């Protein structure tokens, strides 16, 4: 039975009382907060990441963050809302970071990797891909970097904006111009053939 220094059971304390104790490094008080709020935090995480394992992991990360930052909470009664804000921010970060990650079972992977193309189509696609690469190589460095970042590395406009230290509008314009130049190169290659 967990009790605090006043002899009260942790389960008898209010959230605000538990937060004050946790801010004084009382691990048992934080453990009680964890027990009370964990189901709601896991449910909130599940609403955002849509995966039970990810939601459980996110909830753990939220409580670690909360334990580290609980001293910054000025209104102990606001603990629940404060936790929900942490879930919201951390879920956005997790989803953004894992945006490209997709998992699937081996059967699904094999089924999606099977090619229904004829050998002629495969050769044609390879030649087209080589022509695109050659055309990209003929573009200026900025066009090459822009197209490579967006199409080959799959970067978002925001990521490219950060990488190139340019506003998103500028990145959109660069992509538009680079695509036009690439199309012109491809047209001139096809006309030569």
């Amino acid at each position: 039975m967990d009790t605090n220094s006043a002899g009260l059971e942790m389960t008898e304390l209010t959230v605000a009382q538990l937060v004050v104790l946790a801010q004084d490094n009382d691990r048992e008080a934080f453990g009680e907060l964890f027990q009370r709020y964990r189901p709601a935090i896991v449910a909130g995480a599940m609403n955002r990441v849509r995966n039970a394992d990810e939601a459980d992991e996110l909830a753990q990360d939220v409580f670690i963050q909360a334990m580290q930052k609980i001293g910054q909470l000025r209104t102990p009664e606001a603990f629940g809302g404060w936790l929900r804000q942490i879930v919201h921010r951390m879920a956005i970060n997790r989803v953004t970071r894992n945006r490209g990650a997709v998992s699937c079972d081996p059967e699904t992977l094999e089924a999606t990797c099977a090619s229904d193309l004829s050998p002629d189509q495969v050769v044609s696609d390879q030649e087209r891909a080589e022509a695109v690469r050659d055309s990209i190589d003929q573009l200026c460095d900025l066009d090459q970097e822009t197209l490579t970042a967006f199409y080959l590395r799959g970067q978002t406009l925001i990521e490219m904006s950060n990488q190139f230290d340019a506003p998103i509008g500028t990145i959109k314009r660069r992509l538009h111009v680079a695509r036009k130049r690439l199309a012109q190169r491809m047209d001139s290659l096809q006309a030569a053939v």
Side-chain angles (χ1 to χ4, degrees):
M1 190 175 339
D2 293 333
T3 58
N4 67 1
S5 58
L8 293 172
E9 286 187 36
M10 290 290 171
T11 56
E12 296 174 2
L13 298 175
T14 67
V15 169
Q17 291 170 323
L18 289 168
V19 168
V20 170
L21 290 171
Q23 288 175 327
D24 288 333
N25 295 320
D26 186 327
R27 289 189 180 272
E28 290 174 8
F30 193 85
E32 179 64 24
L33 288 168
F34 176 85
Q35 291 301 319
R36 289 185 190 184
Y37 282 91
R38 186 178 187 287
I41 296 307
V42 170
M46 184 67 179
N47 283 339
R48 288 172 174 78
V49 296
R50 307 272 189 231
N51 176 298
D53 293 331
E54 283 281 321
D56 194 49
E57 189 176 315
L58 177 60
Q60 294 294 328
D61 292 344
V62 165
F63 279 106
I64 290 168
Q65 178 87 5
M67 189 167 47
Q68 293 170 346
K69 306 280 186 180
I70 198 162
Q72 297 174 4
L73 181 60
R74 289 191 167 86
T75 309
E77 295 83 11
F79 182 75
W82 181 67
L83 268 182
R84 284 188 294 278
Q85 288 178 340
I86 295 173
V87 170
H88 179 73
R89 283 193 313 271
M90 291 183 82
I92 289 171
N93 291 342
R94 183 175 294 259
V95 169
T96 303
R97 222 182 17 244
N98 295 337
R99 180 178 42 83
V102 175
S103 63
C104 63
D105 57 83
E107 292 81 19
T108 304
L109 185 61
E110 185 178 327
T112 58
C113 289
S115 176
D116 292 332
L117 300 176
S118 70
D120 290 341
Q121 290 172 318
V122 171
V123 170
S124 176
D125 288 350
Q126 288 172 344
E127 288 173 351
R128 190 173 315 120
E130 187 176 329
V132 170
R133 282 192 296 275
D134 290 345
S135 296
I136 289 175
D137 289 344
Q138 294 174 15
L139 297 174
C140 70
D141 289 342
L142 185 59
D143 289 346
Q144 287 180 28
E145 291 169 3
T146 303
L147 292 171
T148 300
F150 190 75
Y151 289 108
L152 300 180
R153 289 198 300 266
Q155 291 182 328
T156 65
L157 294 174
I158 294 171
E159 291 168 334
M160 291 174 65
S161 174
N162 292 335
Q163 177 187 342
F164 293 116
D165 194 28
I168 291 178
T170 301
I171 299 301
K172 287 180 180 179
R173 179 74 182 144
R174 285 182 188 171
L175 269 171
H176 176 76
V177 169
R179 281 191 289 248
K180 276 184 131 176
R181 290 180 181 153
L182 178 61
Q184 289 170 348
R185 294 271 185 214
M186 294 294 297
D187 288 344
S188 65
L189 272 178
Q190 285 182 339
V193 174

